[in-house]
Amino acid sequence: MDESEEIIRAKAVKLILEGRAEEALRLLSQYYKIETPSIRIGLPKGHRSVYACYILGKKTIYVKSSREYRDPYIILHEYYHHLRSFLGKHRGTEKYANKYALESIKFYIRHKKLINETV
């Protein structure tokens, strides 16, 4: 039986909190059937004033430090940009990226007991 998107996103939050962001990105990308983005600690030149960014041409999420690497809101916000880029709709998505990240965290809170038993 296929797991719901809600459960997949909740599992991704748990993995990120555990410092396993790369696994979370693989899990999400397998669910959406898209290429998994890379993730790197350290921001690229010209992006030093943010906590994280997604570079479309490199299909890479960059985070400022290991603190941001373990922050589900930041990782999932940037992952949403990656997801949207595969749909050909990369521009104008900040509020939707915020919504995707916050919803994912709410899904984790809602399903925390189930998630902790299965992951």
Side-chain angles (χ1 to χ4, degrees):
M1 180 178 168
D2 286 342
E3 291 182 280
S4 73
E5 180 178 6
E6 190 169 314
I7 297 297
I8 295 295
R9 287 167 59 182
K11 286 181 177 183
V13 170
K14 181 180 189 310
L15 290 167
I16 294 164
L17 289 168
E18 293 173 347
R20 299 161 55 194
E22 290 170 340
E23 288 180 55
L25 298 176
R26 275 194 299 275
L27 178 69
L28 290 166
S29 296
Q30 285 173 349
Y31 177 81
Y32 293 118
K33 297 176 176 50
I34 63 171
E35 183 179 341
T36 303
S38 299
I39 187 165
R40 302 279 181 265
I41 295 175
L43 296 170
K45 191 174 184 178
H47 293 85
R48 309 270 189 219
S49 63
V50 296
Y51 290 110
C53 63
Y54 174 69
I55 304 295
L56 176 62
K58 295 189 177 199
K59 295 182 180 119
T60 301
I61 295 169
Y62 294 89
V63 294
K64 189 174 188 172
S65 71
S66 58
R67 179 177 178 197
E68 288 78 22
Y69 183 87
R70 295 176 71 106
D71 186 321
Y73 180 83
I74 290 173
I75 300 297
L76 293 170
H77 174 102
E78 297 306 331
Y79 180 79
Y80 184 79
H81 292 305
H82 174 72
L83 179 60
R84 292 284 292 187
S85 72
F86 272 84
L87 302 174
K89 302 174 183 178
H90 185 61
R91 298 217 177 265
T93 60
E94 287 305 307
K95 78 175 182 177
Y96 298 114
N98 291 342
K99 181 180 176 188
Y100 181 84
L102 286 174
E103 282 179 344
S104 298
I105 293 166
K106 287 178 186 176
F107 297 156
Y108 172 71
I109 292 166
R110 181 181 304 151
H111 299 289
K112 191 174 183 178
K113 184 176 181 194
L114 171 68
I115 299 303
N116 286 327
E117 292 172 359
T118 61
V119 173

